[in-house]
Amino acid sequence: MLQNIPSPKTACLLIIGNEILSGRTQDANTRTLALALNQHGIRLLEVRIIPDIEEHIVTTVTACRENFDFIFTSGGIGPTHDDITAACIAKSFNVSLVKHQESFTALEEYFGTERFNTARQRMAYLPEGAVPIADPVAIAPGFIIENVHVLAGVPKIFTATIAALIPTLPQGTALSMTGWHAYGLREGDFAANLTTIQENFPQLDIGSYPYEHPENGKGVALIVKGYHAEQVQDAARILHDLIITQGQTPLAGEP
């Protein structure tokens, strides 16, 4: 936990979709959300990937919305049989799905009366009390109900929606991150030292990341992250000196 520093608000991302769990589709939204939240001073504390199963979605949303400040969901907004996120969110909050007339009208204008069939009309039904999220790319709305933010899973739509949504949330101190890397470093040689540094900075996240460059060979990046920029810089200076004690040359940032 952060010491003498206000703890950032926490967030959880629920990625909903059998296609992710089967390996057919690769998740591209976690990094998008994490980077946006880091900059805004909200900590993405957990990510869960869950199937398109009603009971699983309902129980997961119900549990998570009580344990995190913000919940974001990705996937399950659309006209097909497996697009059940809105209905599951409604069940989690014990409310009904109701037609959102403004969204219904916008969808009808977009598709045209003849093509605006029952399946497409489903996309205009939101949990009672939900507020649509303006979608700069697609017409089908995401929505917010209390601390739950429901977004489409298509990366292009998700990214555009996040860019518009995150600035509207309460802002905290942005995550500060810096570090060093060096060729020739071996984790086993300095692991004990790194443990001591982490113990001296319990409020920070200090990571060691081995890498291999096709031309320059193997090395390790030492990265420090936290919500107190001054302490991050203090720890980074110590990591710089640690690399020197190993007989290597610290290089700023990641390889």
Side-chain angles (χ1 to χ4, degrees), residues 55-174:
E55 182 180 0
H56 206 124
I57 297 172
V58 172
T59 56
T60 303
V61 170
T62 300
C64 288
R65 65 188 177 87
E66 296 176 357
N67 294 316
F68 298 91
D69 296 302
F70 302 100
I71 304 298
F72 299 87
T73 76
S74 166
I77 296 179
T80 59
H81 69 281
D82 56 349
D83 291 317
I84 60 174
T85 298
C88 292
I89 299 295
K91 193 168 184 177
S92 172
F93 281 91
N94 196 28
V95 298
S96 301
L97 273 181
V98 295
K99 182 169 72 173
H100 185 262
Q101 187 59 52
E102 186 177 330
S103 298
F104 190 94
T105 301
L107 285 164
E108 186 174 28
E109 291 177 354
Y110 177 79
F111 288 108
T113 302
E114 292 184 0
R115 297 176 59 226
F116 192 44
N117 55 26
T118 302
R120 291 188 171 112
Q121 291 175 20
R122 288 179 57 229
M123 296 188 288
Y125 282 76
L126 308 180
E128 187 174 9
V131 177
I133 300 174
D135 189 336
V137 176
I139 301 299
F143 60 86
I144 303 170
I145 179 167
E146 295 188 13
N147 65 335
V148 179
H149 304 72
V150 179
L151 286 74
V154 178
K156 180 180 179 180
I157 300 174
F158 185 90
T159 298
T161 307
I162 285 296
L165 173 63
I166 298 303
T168 70
L169 302 179
Q171 186 167 7
T173 301

Side-chain angles (χ1 to χ4, degrees), residues 4 6 18 23 32 80 90 102 111 113 121 142 153 158 182 193 209 217 223 226 235 238:
N4 303 320
N18 294 335
T32 297
T80 59
E102 186 177 330
F111 288 108
T113 302
Q121 291 175 20
F158 185 90
N193 306 78
Y209 307 102
I223 307 298
I238 294 173

Side-chain angles (χ1 to χ4, degrees), residues 1-2 6-13 33-47 67-72 169-175 202-206 225-227:
M1 297 293 293
L2 300 176
S7 298
K9 298 289 186 180
T10 61
C12 176
L13 172 60
L33 179 62
L35 291 175
L37 291 179
N38 288 346
Q39 189 65 32
H40 202 69
I42 298 172
R43 184 181 182 187
L44 182 59
L45 196 60
E46 192 168 309
V47 177
N67 294 316
F68 298 91
D69 296 302
F70 302 100
I71 304 298
F72 299 87
L169 302 179
Q171 186 167 7
T173 301
L175 180 73
Q203 69 276 23
L204 302 180
D205 178 11
I206 299 174
K225 303 184 289 289
Y227 293 90

